[in-house]
Amino acid sequence: MAKLTGRKRAYPLGMGDVKSDADSALKEWTHGLTDILSDVLENGGLGEGVPGSGDALESDEEDVEDDVSGSKSKSQNTSQTMVDLEDIKMNGDSAAPIPVDFTTVGKAVSAEPTAKEMVPTTSPTYAALTKQGYSIVGSHSGVKICRWTKSALRGRGSCYKYSFYGIRSHLCMEATPSLSCSNKCIFCWRHGTNPVGTTWRWKVDDPDMIFQGVKEGHYKKIKMMRGVPGVRAERFSEAMRIRHCALSLVGEPIFYPHINRFLDLLHAEHISSFMVCNAQHPDQLERLHRVTQLYVSIDASNRESLRKIDRPLHRDFWERFQRCLDILREKRHFQRTVFRLTLVKGFNVDDEVIGYANLVEKALPGLVEIKGVTYCGTSTSAGAGLTMQNVPFYEEISAFVVALNAELERRGLKYGLAAEHAHSCCVLIASERFSKNGKWHTRIDYDRFFELLEKEKADGTTFTPEDYMRETEDWALWGNGGFDPNDERVYRKKKDKTIEAAPTS
């Protein structure tokens, strides 16, 4: 076996209980092992594997740290150095980013006979993204597994989406059909390497090709995890059937011209759709077909803060932002809508509770996520003045959430503190639309969603977000921490192992 696999782990260790599921567990494990051995015989080895797969990563370590540190030494020796336009200093002394307006005005320029590729395979952008672990699909799409997928495969916990909405991270694919974005957010994890633009000016790939490509890329990366110590055989087997798709990887998924066709392909295979947008494309948002859940990133409560944090490319970014909120209000009984607030201490936290409450009152989203920023230590962030000092503690997040909830209550808006995932510094405020018999129902009944969706397509019977909600688990409720007791919580060395309960309002 060692010769066949090159001394790598060929398949996760299988476990079963002789009093209950030993026979079925052994049968499933044997089937998986047989498939792997067939791959070995066919391909002559296990493939790429995961760099450093012998090292046990902790469940709360960000893989972006490795991406940044691992690229420093090599990037210094490359002949071409990529610099964000916002980071160029004209006078040599100023550390502040230069405001640049990318919006085209004046006479229209005639289109070229052949549209260019967004991310050619020979471009520095392609090299940078693939080095960070992305699989580029076609000319403008991508897929990557997140660290929570790796954590869930090892039984070390899923992300906040499991606590809030019932998404098990090892069943989730994170992908995008558009690597381009219309913002250059200071806290972007993508190291400022993805393309930007205000209009689609590139070659457009076929949605069927993108769909097949992202699935293949995802499964390939899952297979690379089979040699990592601690991966559970049953979860590895489950991960080979994608159940959810988070369209939030990088760029702006809603920017893709055929996004509705792509959503249809997901739903046809009963893959739930979690669409994230940055409230800069109101026309596309208005035309968007039904999704399982629609996120809108609300990174600031006023025009000036939004300009500093998101660094939008559109001149009329605030007007676009406001129009998107109007659309969300109109569609709140059609789409399951979520505000996603990313708090950056020193930028959008102090004295902005009332401003955020104004936005909630305007759009009336079904759910409001409040999460602390994750610092990834890039030059883009540093150039904008972002450091670890801007990362709020969970106690600060909790205090902000309590204050925001109190302000919403003062205005007579029916919201409440529903759930939390302290491990991610994330809290969920929910509309009382998702409260039934005194209990929160923020989770999603995915089977019910697809039943309703298919009926709607068949005979036009419409449905609302309340029709496919499911009760929130007790351990995920506000004040209970939000970590699944069926998983194993792993802490870093010398780290306090106690989690303080969230304050009550």
Side-chain angles (χ1 to χ4, degrees), residues 198-200 252-260 275 277 280-289 294 314 320 323-324 327 331 335:
T198 57
T199 58
W200 190 280
E252 181 67 88
I254 203 172
F255 202 16
Y256 174 52
H258 302 308
I259 184 61
N260 285 324
M275 169 71 74
C277 67
Q280 288 297 296
H281 298 277
D283 292 337
Q284 289 87 339
L285 182 62
E286 195 162 30
R287 294 193 297 265
L288 186 68
H289 289 182
L294 175 61
H314 288 284
R320 288 170 172 268
R323 187 180 163 203
C324 285
I327 294 171
K331 293 182 176 290
Q335 301 278 26

Side-chain angles (χ1 to χ4, degrees), residues 169-402:
S169 294
H170 65 292
L171 306 181
C172 181
M173 172 178 68
E174 194 173 12
T176 180
S178 170
L179 292 165
S180 176
C181 189
S182 54
N183 285 350
K184 296 285 289 184
C185 301
I186 61 173
F187 52 76
C188 182
W189 287 15
R190 319 312 171 192
H191 309 166
T193 51
N194 58 298
V196 295
T198 57
T199 58
W200 190 280
R201 59 183 186 276
W202 304 280
K203 170 188 174 183
V204 181
D205 292 335
D206 179 72
D208 294 82
M209 182 275 287
I210 296 173
F211 182 57
Q212 294 301 323
V214 293
K215 286 196 302 179
E216 291 173 6
H218 177 79
Y219 286 135
K220 181 179 179 181
K221 290 181 179 296
I222 291 294
K223 288 181 178 179
M224 290 166 63
M225 289 294 297
R226 62 191 169 204
V228 175
V231 171
R232 296 184 180 180
E234 71 278 6
R235 295 199 177 185
F236 183 85
S237 177
E238 292 170 351
M240 298 309 294
R241 163 71 170 90
I242 299 169
R243 298 298 303 274
H244 313 285
C245 180
L247 291 165
S248 62
L249 180 66
V250 62
E252 181 67 88
I254 203 172
F255 202 16
Y256 174 52
H258 302 308
I259 184 61
N260 285 324
R261 170 58 183 161
F262 186 80
L263 291 171
D264 290 342
L265 294 171
L266 287 173
H267 295 161
E269 295 195 7
H270 282 206
I271 299 174
S272 68
S273 53
F274 280 65
M275 169 71 74
V276 179
C277 67
N278 60 21
Q280 288 297 296
H281 298 277
D283 292 337
Q284 289 87 339
L285 182 62
E286 195 162 30
R287 294 193 297 265
L288 186 68
H289 289 182
R290 191 187 290 276
V291 294
T292 311
Q293 184 156 287
L294 175 61
Y295 289 85
V296 176
S297 295
I298 307 294
D299 298 328
S301 66
N302 58 73
R303 182 190 185 100
E304 185 59 24
S305 292
L306 189 67
R307 185 188 66 80
K308 290 180 179 179
I309 294 173
D310 282 0
R311 300 192 296 176
L313 307 187
H314 288 284
R315 278 183 174 178
D316 57 343
F317 66 91
W318 185 247
E319 290 72 22
R320 288 170 172 268
F321 182 83
Q322 292 293 328
R323 187 180 163 203
C324 285
L325 298 188
D326 291 333
I327 294 171
L328 285 184
R329 186 185 182 101
E330 295 171 4
K331 293 182 176 290
R332 68 185 186 278
H333 295 297
F334 174 75
Q335 301 278 26
R336 182 179 158 116
T337 57
V338 182
F339 268 16
R340 186 170 71 170
L341 278 59
T342 300
L343 300 187
V344 187
K345 191 160 61 175
F347 281 82
N348 63 355
V349 179
D350 300 332
D351 303 321
E352 293 204 25
V353 166
I354 292 178
Y356 282 116
N358 291 338
L359 300 181
V360 172
E361 187 172 16
K362 180 171 184 172
L364 295 178
L367 304 154
V368 182
E369 290 179 8
I370 302 94
K371 187 178 187 298
V373 67
T374 299
Y375 181 67
C376 57
T378 66
S379 60
T380 302
S381 301
L386 192 68
T387 69
M388 279 297 296
Q389 300 301 316
N390 300 110
V391 179
F393 290 101
Y394 186 61
E395 291 77 9
E396 295 172 304
I397 299 292
S398 299
F400 180 90
V401 169
V402 169

Side-chain angles (χ1 to χ4, degrees), residues 288-291 330-336 433 448-468:
L288 186 68
H289 289 182
R290 191 187 290 276
V291 294
E330 295 171 4
K331 293 182 176 290
R332 68 185 186 278
H333 295 297
F334 174 75
Q335 301 278 26
R336 182 179 158 116
R433 293 166 53 194
R448 179 62 176 160
F449 170 77
F450 287 112
E451 288 177 9
L452 294 169
L453 184 64
E454 289 169 0
K455 183 172 178 59
E456 183 179 58
K457 290 183 177 180
D459 58 20
T461 303
T462 189
F463 60 98
T464 67
E466 293 91 327
D467 293 329
Y468 58 95

Side-chain angles (χ1 to χ4, degrees), residues 79-225:
S79 58
Q80 293 182 337
T81 302
M82 291 179 293
V83 181
D84 280 344
L85 190 56
E86 287 84 352
D87 297 332
I88 299 176
K89 302 174 184 178
M90 300 299 291
N91 56 15
D93 297 325
S94 174
I98 303 169
V100 180
D101 186 355
F102 290 83
T103 306
T104 303
V105 295
K107 296 182 179 180
V109 180
S110 58
E112 295 182 6
T114 303
K116 296 181 179 180
E117 293 185 340
M118 181 188 292
V119 185
T121 56
T122 56
S123 67
T125 300
Y126 183 94
L129 289 173
T130 52
K131 188 172 184 177
Q132 293 169 29
Y134 296 88
S135 290
I136 308 302
V137 177
S139 63
H140 56 69
S141 306
V143 64
K144 181 183 181 183
I145 61 172
C146 76
R147 61 110 169 180
W148 286 109
T149 299
K150 303 171 188 176
S151 175
L153 283 169
R154 304 169 73 193
R156 295 186 171 188
S158 292
C159 77
Y160 70 90
K161 294 186 186 72
Y162 181 54
S163 298
F164 297 172
Y165 314 123
I167 288 183
R168 301 171 70 191
S169 294
H170 65 292
L171 306 181
C172 181
M173 172 178 68
E174 194 173 12
T176 180
S178 170
L179 292 165
S180 176
C181 189
S182 54
N183 285 350
K184 296 285 289 184
C185 301
I186 61 173
F187 52 76
C188 182
W189 287 15
R190 319 312 171 192
H191 309 166
T193 51
N194 58 298
V196 295
T198 57
T199 58
W200 190 280
R201 59 183 186 276
W202 304 280
K203 170 188 174 183
V204 181
D205 292 335
D206 179 72
D208 294 82
M209 182 275 287
I210 296 173
F211 182 57
Q212 294 301 323
V214 293
K215 286 196 302 179
E216 291 173 6
H218 177 79
Y219 286 135
K220 181 179 179 181
K221 290 181 179 296
I222 291 294
K223 288 181 178 179
M224 290 166 63
M225 289 294 297

